[in-house]
Amino acid sequence: LDFRYNSLVVNLLTRTGQKEDLQFADRSKVAILRGKKSLFQKLRSAFVKEDQFAHRFIVLTDKNLYSFAFIQEPETNRTIIEVYFKVPISQIKGVSMSTYADNYMAIHFTPQAGVIDVLHACRRKTELVGLLSITYQKLTGAALPVTFGNKVTINVSRKREKLVDIMWIRDTNVAPDTELFKTVGKIVRIHAAPGIPPHQVTPPPKVTETDKSRVVRVFLEALYDFQGRDVDELSFKVGDKMTMVEDLSQGWYKAKLNGKSGYVAADYVKKLAGGVGERKKKQPVARREKKQPQQQRFG
């Protein structure tokens, strides 16, 4: 997600008087872990449906890791940011991930952070952990502890020790990059696809020579008017031409219009023919004319 043009996020990242450099931003799904329920909680669950997940945004800067959501104030109907945690990078204790093809990761914090460990699902998990490791190394001079395993225990209570076991289970019936989440008492089971064995990973394609004199651009033309329903969706009018930044899966493009980047539904636009632009015009080079030798006359 590109939050550089979102005024609410920009204000959040400049509250300390010094703007933080945005490294990563994406939607995330947070598992609400309650541990073993008391008798009162069991009785309450029989009448009140409890949510298993909370949908938020996870943002990494050069100084902090954020988890927040956009909400509307009931009185003013104004959109504001509700921050669930803001933790300095140096107060992150480590990250635990499974060896399977799922989106979940457990983020552990030091006691100084004042935040309980969380179980986040993010579709760009690998990219986030990679950037977090680089930033952690720069700030602390040490490597971020990243653990790969299929069982981890986290504390889900600030007041007292309330441990929850998280277990990843290999399940060939689950599609890659998806998971099946089950809670049984104080044990969380995440059924995930096994992933691709190392010997089946195809080598990256060889880079072919390209014509560097051509500018490659793909454009999208709006077929209908569209008003963005979320902060990361572009609004446009019929006939608007946008530069396509990325062709995403599941019927979405990432595009740029009037200096703003955002997501565009594929059903609302069409690709324009001739995505490759014209050749770059070469700067004319001034040439000196050769002087013709003068003929000498004898007389």
Side-chain angles (χ1 to χ4, degrees):
L1 303 179
D2 191 352
F3 279 143
R4 290 175 297 172
Y5 303 101
N6 185 286
S7 59
L8 294 175
V9 177
V10 171
N11 291 337
L12 175 65
L13 301 185
T14 54
R15 284 181 182 175
T16 59
Q18 186 177 4
K19 187 178 179 181
E20 299 178 38
D21 184 19
L22 189 63
Q23 307 278 339
F24 176 91
D26 202 1
R27 293 183 174 94
S28 70
K29 185 171 65 174
V30 183
I32 301 174
L33 306 176
R34 299 178 176 88
K36 191 174 181 179
K37 295 180 180 180
S38 64
L39 179 61
F40 172 76
Q41 289 173 326
K42 289 179 180 178
L43 293 172
R44 184 178 182 274
S45 300
F47 299 96
V48 180
K49 185 179 179 182
E50 296 177 331
D51 293 331
Q52 273 192 310
F53 307 101
H55 294 275
R56 299 175 186 169
F57 294 92
I58 189 165
V59 169
L60 172 68
T61 73
D62 58 336
K63 297 179 179 64
N64 298 292
L65 182 68
Y66 291 84
S67 177
F68 62 79
F70 295 97
I71 63 171
Q72 282 190 325
E73 289 183 324
E75 299 83 6
T76 62
N77 208 28
R78 187 168 57 100
T79 302
I80 62 172
I81 286 182
E82 183 174 5
V83 179
Y84 294 96
F85 67 70
K86 171 189 174 183
V87 177
I89 302 300
S90 59
Q91 294 180 8
I92 296 175
K93 191 175 180 180
V95 178
S96 299
M97 298 187 292
S98 78
T99 59
Y100 302 138
D102 66 297
N103 296 318
Y104 275 99
M105 58 184 167
I107 306 175
H108 312 280
F109 303 104
T110 63
Q112 293 80 8
V115 178
I116 60 173
D117 296 349
V118 292
L119 184 62
H120 268 267
C122 176
R123 61 189 176 92
R124 293 162 59 203
K125 173 186 68 174
T126 304
E127 182 182 347
L128 170 59
V129 175
L131 291 170
L132 179 59
S133 299
I134 294 171
T135 307
Y136 187 91
Q137 177 80 40
K138 288 180 180 178
L139 293 176
T140 66
L144 175 71
V146 179
T147 304
F148 291 91
N150 298 322
K151 183 180 179 181
V152 64
T153 301
I154 64 175
N155 185 19
V156 297
S157 176
R158 296 183 186 178
K159 297 179 181 179
R160 59 187 177 88
E161 190 176 78
K162 196 174 183 180
L163 302 179
V164 172
D165 292 328
I166 301 166
M167 299 177 62
W168 281 269
I169 299 172
R170 184 179 184 272
D171 192 336
T172 55
N173 295 319
V174 178
D177 293 325
T178 62
E179 53 279 321
L180 182 62
F181 191 94
K182 295 181 179 180
T183 303
V184 181
K186 62 176 184 178
I187 299 176
V188 172
R189 292 188 175 97
I190 302 173
H191 292 247
I196 302 174
H199 65 276
Q200 292 184 9
V201 177
T202 56
K206 294 182 179 180
V207 179
T208 56
E209 290 293 327
T210 58
D211 186 354
K212 296 182 180 179
S213 66
R214 289 185 178 273
V215 181
V216 179
R217 286 197 186 98
V218 179
F219 296 96
L220 306 172
E221 183 176 352
L223 301 174
Y224 316 96
D225 292 349
F226 180 77
Q227 182 64 38
R229 294 184 291 269
D230 209 342
V231 292
D232 55 349
E233 294 181 355
L234 278 182
S235 299
F236 47 81
K237 301 287 187 181
V238 60
D240 282 350
K241 292 180 175 60
M242 297 158 270
T243 304
M244 191 184 80
V245 178
E246 188 178 356
D247 189 347
L248 304 171
S249 60
Q250 299 178 350
W252 288 89
Y253 297 115
K254 190 173 183 181
K256 194 169 185 179
L257 176 65
N258 298 328
K260 182 178 179 181
S261 298
Y263 293 95
V264 175
D267 294 338
Y268 283 77
V269 296
K270 68 174 181 179
K271 280 186 181 180
L272 296 180
V276 180
E278 298 178 352
R279 289 184 181 272
K280 295 179 181 177
K281 294 181 179 179
K282 293 183 178 180
Q283 188 73 18
V285 180
R287 296 180 180 178
R288 291 187 301 173
E289 295 182 0
K290 293 183 179 180
K291 293 184 179 180
Q292 296 291 334
Q294 295 181 353
Q295 294 181 355
Q296 295 182 356
R297 293 184 180 184
F298 298 94

